[in-house]
Amino acid sequence: MSEPLSPPEMEQADREPEPRREPVFNLPPIVLAVIAICVAIYLLQQYVLSDAQQMTLLYDGAFIPVLYTGQYGFDWFLFTRPFTYAFMHGGFAHIAINMVWLAAFGSPLANRLGAFWFALFFAATGLASVALFWAMHPYGEAPLVGASGAISGMMGAAARFGFRTDRSAGKAAFAGPVLPIAMVLRSRGVMIFLAVWMVINLVTGLVGFAPGVDSQIAWEAHIGGFVAGFFGLRWFDRNWQPLDWETTDHRT
């Protein structure tokens, strides 16, 4: 049997905040949108399109380096392929791994930058990825697909924050100022992460993703995206904060 609350107890109950309801998928809408587009295109390729239609989509949507050497004439897809390739994937393992990393690194970055600047960051780092890939393989005929170049850019951005996040607003966001490169290079944790990431990229790119899997990892595209995100973050971070020592007047 319950007992009635006394007036003081009723006042205290009124002052207590209601428990926060956490969403089932605590991801920024822009990240969910990118994931949804990638999954929709993958399902379309696998279960809707015919073989001929899949080849057409691959040719028009993937990045094919040799098409940019000037030997095959002009088509309007030359302008869109450096961006649309990031939304296409070559298999279930490929899209699954990329979407997990996108959620992990893209969510705090999107919460920090905002949807508009995150979208520009995604496009710019994806473009940097294919730029380096084309520079190293200008006559390559194999199509390049996948969001891992842009995701590598997000990892580069995370390194500039020292992987610091703030959850005070109920969602994880990279926090604090963008660290100077010299400070990042002196951080043991960041350097260990970067070293492991680099080794994994080189091994999977030169040896292969896994035994029995024919597709190769475009490690060059990963490095291109990472470098763009690492060095170009300040162009997209509207919440950039200088360190205290950077704002000190050093004049004598």
Side-chain angles (χ1 to χ4, degrees), residues 81-133:
R81 291 187 185 99
F83 303 99
T84 56
Y85 84 97
F87 298 98
M88 305 174 64
H89 292 82
F92 178 77
H94 189 203
I95 189 173
I97 293 173
N98 274 356
M99 296 305 99
V100 170
W101 285 109
L102 174 60
F105 285 91
S107 295
L109 184 62
N111 288 331
R112 167 75 179 224
L113 302 183
F116 176 75
W117 289 102
F118 176 83
L120 290 182
F121 182 91
F122 185 92
T125 51
L127 181 60
S129 299
V130 293
L132 181 59
F133 187 79

Coordinates of all heavy atoms in Angstrom, one line a residue, residues 81-133:
R81 N 31.9 11.8 -60.5 CA 32.5 10.5 -60.0 C 33.4 10.7 -58.8 O 33.5 9.9 -57.9 CB 33.3 9.9 -61.2 CG 32.4 9.3 -62.3 CD 33.3 8.5 -63.3 NE 32.5 8.0 -64.4 CZ 32.5 8.6 -65.6 NH1 33.2 9.7 -65.8 NH2 31.8 8.1 -66.6
P82 N 34.2 11.8 -58.8 CA 35.1 12.0 -57.6 C 34.3 12.2 -56.3 O 34.9 12.2 -55.2 CB 35.8 13.3 -57.9 CG 35.8 13.4 -59.4 CD 34.5 12.9 -59.8
F83 N 33.0 12.3 -56.3 CA 32.2 12.4 -55.1 C 31.2 11.2 -54.9 O 31.1 10.7 -53.8 CB 31.3 13.7 -55.2 CG 32.2 15.0 -55.4 CD1 32.3 15.5 -56.6 CD2 32.8 15.5 -54.3 CE1 33.1 16.7 -56.8 CE2 33.6 16.7 -54.4 CZ 33.7 17.2 -55.7
T84 N 30.6 10.7 -56.0 CA 29.7 9.7 -55.9 C 30.3 8.3 -55.6 O 29.7 7.4 -55.0 CB 28.9 9.5 -57.2 OG1 29.8 9.3 -58.3 CG2 28.0 10.7 -57.5
Y85 N 31.6 8.2 -55.9 CA 32.3 6.9 -55.6 C 32.2 6.5 -54.1 O 32.2 5.4 -53.7 CB 33.7 6.9 -56.1 CG 34.7 7.6 -55.1 CD1 35.4 6.8 -54.2 CD2 34.7 9.0 -55.0 CE1 36.3 7.4 -53.3 CE2 35.6 9.5 -54.0 CZ 36.3 8.8 -53.2 OH 37.2 9.3 -52.2
A86 N 32.2 7.6 -53.3 CA 32.3 7.4 -51.8 C 31.0 6.7 -51.3 O 31.0 6.1 -50.2 CB 32.5 8.7 -51.1
F87 N 29.9 6.7 -52.0 CA 28.7 6.2 -51.6 C 28.5 4.7 -52.1 O 27.4 4.1 -51.8 CB 27.5 7.0 -52.0 CG 27.5 8.4 -51.4 CD1 28.0 9.5 -52.1 CD2 27.1 8.7 -50.1 CE1 28.0 10.8 -51.6 CE2 27.1 9.9 -49.6 CZ 27.6 11.0 -50.3
M88 N 29.4 4.2 -52.8 CA 29.3 2.9 -53.4 C 30.3 2.0 -52.7 O 31.4 2.4 -52.3 CB 29.6 2.9 -54.9 CG 28.7 3.9 -55.7 SD 29.1 4.0 -57.4 CE 28.8 2.4 -58.0
H89 N 29.9 0.7 -52.6 CA 30.8 -0.3 -51.9 C 30.8 -1.6 -52.6 O 29.8 -2.0 -53.3 CB 30.4 -0.4 -50.4 CG 30.6 0.8 -49.6 ND1 29.7 1.8 -49.6 CD2 31.6 1.1 -48.8 CE1 30.2 2.8 -48.8 NE2 31.4 2.4 -48.3
G90 N 31.9 -2.3 -52.4 CA 32.1 -3.5 -53.2 C 31.6 -4.8 -52.6 O 31.7 -5.9 -53.2
G91 N 31.2 -4.8 -51.4 CA 30.7 -6.0 -50.7 C 30.2 -5.8 -49.3 O 30.3 -4.6 -48.8
F92 N 29.6 -6.8 -48.7 CA 29.0 -6.6 -47.4 C 30.1 -6.2 -46.4 O 29.8 -5.3 -45.5 CB 28.3 -7.9 -47.0 CG 27.7 -7.8 -45.6 CD1 26.5 -7.1 -45.4 CD2 28.3 -8.3 -44.5 CE1 26.0 -6.9 -44.1 CE2 27.8 -8.2 -43.2 CZ 26.6 -7.5 -43.0
A93 N 31.2 -6.9 -46.4 CA 32.2 -6.6 -45.4 C 32.8 -5.2 -45.6 O 33.0 -4.5 -44.6 CB 33.4 -7.6 -45.5
H94 N 32.9 -4.8 -46.8 CA 33.4 -3.4 -47.1 C 32.4 -2.4 -46.6 O 32.9 -1.4 -45.8 CB 33.5 -3.3 -48.7 CG 34.1 -2.0 -49.1 ND1 34.0 -1.5 -50.3 CD2 35.0 -1.2 -48.4 CE1 34.7 -0.4 -50.4 NE2 35.3 -0.2 -49.3
I95 N 31.1 -2.5 -46.8 CA 30.2 -1.4 -46.4 C 30.0 -1.5 -44.9 O 29.9 -0.5 -44.2 CB 28.9 -1.5 -47.1 CG1 28.0 -0.3 -46.8 CG2 28.1 -2.8 -46.8 CD1 26.7 -0.2 -47.6
A96 N 30.0 -2.7 -44.3 CA 29.8 -2.9 -42.9 C 30.9 -2.2 -42.1 O 30.7 -1.5 -41.1 CB 29.7 -4.4 -42.5
I97 N 32.2 -2.5 -42.5 CA 33.3 -1.9 -41.8 C 33.3 -0.4 -41.9 O 33.5 0.3 -40.9 CB 34.6 -2.5 -42.3 CG1 34.7 -4.0 -41.9 CG2 35.8 -1.8 -41.7 CD1 35.9 -4.7 -42.5
N98 N 33.1 0.1 -43.1 CA 33.1 1.5 -43.3 C 32.0 2.2 -42.5 O 32.2 3.3 -42.0 CB 32.9 1.8 -44.8 CG 34.2 1.8 -45.6 OD1 35.3 1.7 -45.0 ND2 34.2 2.0 -46.9
M99 N 30.8 1.7 -42.4 CA 29.7 2.3 -41.7 C 30.0 2.3 -40.2 O 29.6 3.3 -39.5 CB 28.4 1.6 -42.0 CG 28.0 1.7 -43.5 SD 27.9 3.5 -44.1 CE 29.4 3.6 -45.0
V100 N 30.6 1.3 -39.7 CA 31.0 1.3 -38.3 C 32.0 2.4 -38.0 O 31.8 3.2 -37.0 CB 31.6 -0.1 -37.9 CG1 32.2 0.0 -36.5 CG2 30.5 -1.1 -37.9
W101 N 33.0 2.5 -38.8 CA 34.0 3.6 -38.6 C 33.4 5.0 -38.8 O 33.8 5.9 -38.2 CB 35.2 3.4 -39.5 CG 36.1 2.2 -39.1 CD1 36.3 1.0 -39.7 CD2 37.0 2.2 -37.9 NE1 37.1 0.3 -38.9 CE2 37.6 1.0 -37.9 CE3 37.2 3.2 -36.9 CZ2 38.5 0.6 -36.9 CZ3 38.1 2.8 -35.9 CH2 38.8 1.6 -35.9
L102 N 32.5 5.1 -39.8 CA 31.8 6.3 -40.0 C 31.0 6.8 -38.8 O 31.1 7.9 -38.4 CB 30.9 6.2 -41.2 CG 30.0 7.4 -41.5 CD1 30.9 8.7 -41.8 CD2 29.1 7.1 -42.7
A103 N 30.3 5.8 -38.2 CA 29.6 6.2 -37.0 C 30.5 6.6 -35.9 O 30.2 7.5 -35.1 CB 28.7 5.0 -36.6
A104 N 31.6 5.9 -35.7 CA 32.5 6.1 -34.6 C 33.2 7.4 -34.7 O 33.3 8.2 -33.7 CB 33.5 5.0 -34.5
F105 N 33.8 7.8 -35.9 CA 34.5 9.0 -36.1 C 33.7 10.1 -36.6 O 34.0 11.3 -36.4 CB 35.7 8.8 -37.0 CG 36.8 8.0 -36.3 CD1 36.9 6.6 -36.3 CD2 37.8 8.7 -35.6 CE1 37.9 5.9 -35.7 CE2 38.8 8.0 -34.9 CZ 38.9 6.6 -35.0
G106 N 32.7 9.8 -37.4 CA 31.9 10.9 -38.0 C 30.9 11.5 -37.1 O 30.7 12.7 -37.2
S107 N 30.4 10.8 -36.1 CA 29.4 11.3 -35.2 C 30.0 12.5 -34.3 O 29.4 13.6 -34.3 CB 28.8 10.2 -34.3 OG 28.1 9.3 -35.0
P108 N 31.1 12.3 -33.6 CA 31.7 13.4 -32.8 C 32.1 14.5 -33.7 O 32.1 15.7 -33.3 CB 32.8 12.8 -32.0 CG 33.2 11.5 -32.8 CD 31.9 11.0 -33.4
L109 N 32.6 14.2 -34.9 CA 33.0 15.3 -35.8 C 31.8 16.1 -36.3 O 31.9 17.4 -36.4 CB 33.8 14.8 -37.0 CG 34.4 15.8 -37.9 CD1 35.4 16.7 -37.2 CD2 35.1 15.1 -39.1
A110 N 30.7 15.4 -36.7 CA 29.5 16.1 -37.1 C 28.9 17.0 -36.0 O 28.4 18.1 -36.2 CB 28.5 15.1 -37.6
N111 N 28.9 16.5 -34.8 CA 28.4 17.2 -33.7 C 29.3 18.5 -33.4 O 28.8 19.5 -32.9 CB 28.4 16.4 -32.4 CG 27.3 15.3 -32.5 OD1 26.3 15.6 -33.1 ND2 27.5 14.2 -31.8
R112 N 30.6 18.4 -33.7 CA 31.5 19.6 -33.6 C 31.3 20.6 -34.7 O 31.2 21.8 -34.5 CB 32.9 19.1 -33.5 CG 34.0 20.2 -33.7 CD 34.1 21.0 -32.4 NE 35.2 22.0 -32.5 CZ 36.1 22.3 -31.6 NH1 36.1 21.6 -30.5 NH2 37.0 23.2 -31.8
L113 N 31.3 20.1 -36.0 CA 31.3 21.0 -37.1 C 29.9 21.5 -37.5 O 29.8 22.6 -38.0 CB 31.9 20.3 -38.3 CG 33.3 19.7 -38.2 CD1 33.8 19.1 -39.5 CD2 34.3 20.8 -37.7
G114 N 28.9 20.7 -37.2 CA 27.6 21.0 -37.8 C 27.4 20.3 -39.1 O 28.3 19.9 -39.8
A115 N 26.1 20.1 -39.5 CA 25.8 19.3 -40.7 C 26.4 19.9 -41.9 O 26.9 19.1 -42.8 CB 24.3 19.2 -40.8
F116 N 26.3 21.2 -42.1 CA 26.7 21.8 -43.4 C 28.2 21.6 -43.5 O 28.7 21.2 -44.6 CB 26.4 23.3 -43.4 CG 26.9 24.0 -44.6 CD1 26.3 23.8 -45.9 CD2 28.0 24.9 -44.5 CE1 26.8 24.5 -47.0 CE2 28.5 25.5 -45.6 CZ 27.9 25.4 -46.8
W117 N 29.0 22.0 -42.5 CA 30.5 21.9 -42.6 C 31.0 20.5 -42.6 O 32.0 20.2 -43.2 CB 31.1 22.7 -41.5 CG 30.9 24.2 -41.7 CD1 30.0 25.0 -41.1 CD2 31.6 25.0 -42.7 NE1 30.1 26.3 -41.6 CE2 31.1 26.3 -42.5 CE3 32.6 24.8 -43.6 CZ2 31.5 27.4 -43.3 CZ3 33.1 25.8 -44.4 CH2 32.5 27.1 -44.2
F118 N 30.2 19.6 -42.0 CA 30.6 18.2 -42.0 C 30.4 17.6 -43.4 O 31.3 16.9 -43.9 CB 29.7 17.4 -41.1 CG 30.0 15.9 -41.1 CD1 31.0 15.3 -40.4 CD2 29.2 15.0 -41.9 CE1 31.3 13.9 -40.5 CE2 29.4 13.7 -42.0 CZ 30.4 13.1 -41.3
A119 N 29.3 18.0 -44.1 CA 29.1 17.6 -45.5 C 30.2 18.1 -46.4 O 30.7 17.4 -47.3 CB 27.7 18.1 -46.0
L120 N 30.6 19.4 -46.2 CA 31.7 19.9 -47.0 C 33.0 19.2 -46.7 O 33.8 18.9 -47.6 CB 31.9 21.4 -46.8 CG 30.8 22.3 -47.3 CD1 31.2 23.8 -47.0 CD2 30.6 22.1 -48.8
F121 N 33.2 18.8 -45.4 CA 34.5 18.1 -45.0 C 34.5 16.7 -45.7 O 35.5 16.3 -46.2 CB 34.5 18.0 -43.5 CG 35.7 17.3 -43.0 CD1 36.8 18.0 -42.6 CD2 35.7 15.9 -42.8 CE1 38.0 17.4 -42.1 CE2 36.8 15.3 -42.3 CZ 38.0 16.0 -42.0
F122 N 33.3 16.1 -45.7 CA 33.2 14.7 -46.3 C 33.5 14.8 -47.8 O 34.3 14.0 -48.3 CB 31.8 14.2 -46.1 CG 31.6 12.8 -46.6 CD1 31.7 11.7 -45.7 CD2 31.2 12.5 -47.9 CE1 31.5 10.4 -46.1 CE2 31.0 11.3 -48.3 CZ 31.2 10.2 -47.4
A123 N 33.0 15.8 -48.5 CA 33.2 15.9 -49.9 C 34.7 16.3 -50.2 O 35.3 15.7 -51.1 CB 32.3 17.0 -50.5
A124 N 35.3 17.2 -49.4 CA 36.6 17.6 -49.6 C 37.7 16.5 -49.4 O 38.6 16.3 -50.2 CB 37.0 18.8 -48.8
T125 N 37.5 15.8 -48.3 CA 38.5 14.7 -48.0 C 38.3 13.5 -49.0 O 39.2 12.9 -49.3 CB 38.3 14.2 -46.6 OG1 36.9 13.9 -46.3 CG2 38.8 15.3 -45.6
G126 N 37.0 13.3 -49.4 CA 36.8 12.3 -50.4 C 37.5 12.7 -51.7 O 38.0 11.8 -52.4
L127 N 37.4 14.0 -52.1 CA 38.1 14.4 -53.3 C 39.6 14.3 -53.2 O 40.3 14.0 -54.1 CB 37.6 15.9 -53.5 CG 38.2 16.6 -54.8 CD1 37.8 15.8 -56.0 CD2 37.8 18.0 -54.9
A128 N 40.1 14.7 -52.0 CA 41.6 14.6 -51.8 C 42.0 13.1 -51.9 O 43.1 12.8 -52.4 CB 42.0 15.1 -50.4
S129 N 41.2 12.2 -51.5 CA 41.5 10.8 -51.6 C 41.7 10.3 -53.0 O 42.7 9.7 -53.4 CB 40.4 9.9 -51.0 OG 40.2 10.3 -49.6
V130 N 40.8 10.7 -53.9 CA 40.9 10.3 -55.3 C 42.0 11.1 -56.0 O 42.5 10.6 -57.0 CB 39.5 10.4 -56.0 CG1 38.5 9.4 -55.5 CG2 39.0 11.8 -56.0
A131 N 42.2 12.3 -55.6 CA 43.3 13.1 -56.2 C 44.7 12.4 -56.0 O 45.4 12.2 -57.0 CB 43.3 14.5 -55.6
L132 N 45.0 11.9 -54.8 CA 46.2 11.2 -54.6 C 46.2 9.9 -55.3 O 47.2 9.4 -55.9 CB 46.5 11.0 -53.1 CG 47.8 10.3 -52.7 CD1 49.0 11.1 -53.3 CD2 47.9 10.1 -51.2
F133 N 45.1 9.2 -55.3 CA 45.0 7.9 -55.9 C 45.2 8.0 -57.4 O 45.9 7.2 -58.1 CB 43.6 7.3 -55.7 CG 43.5 5.8 -56.2 CD1 44.0 4.8 -55.4 CD2 42.8 5.6 -57.4 CE1 43.9 3.5 -55.9 CE2 42.7 4.3 -57.8 CZ 43.3 3.2 -57.1

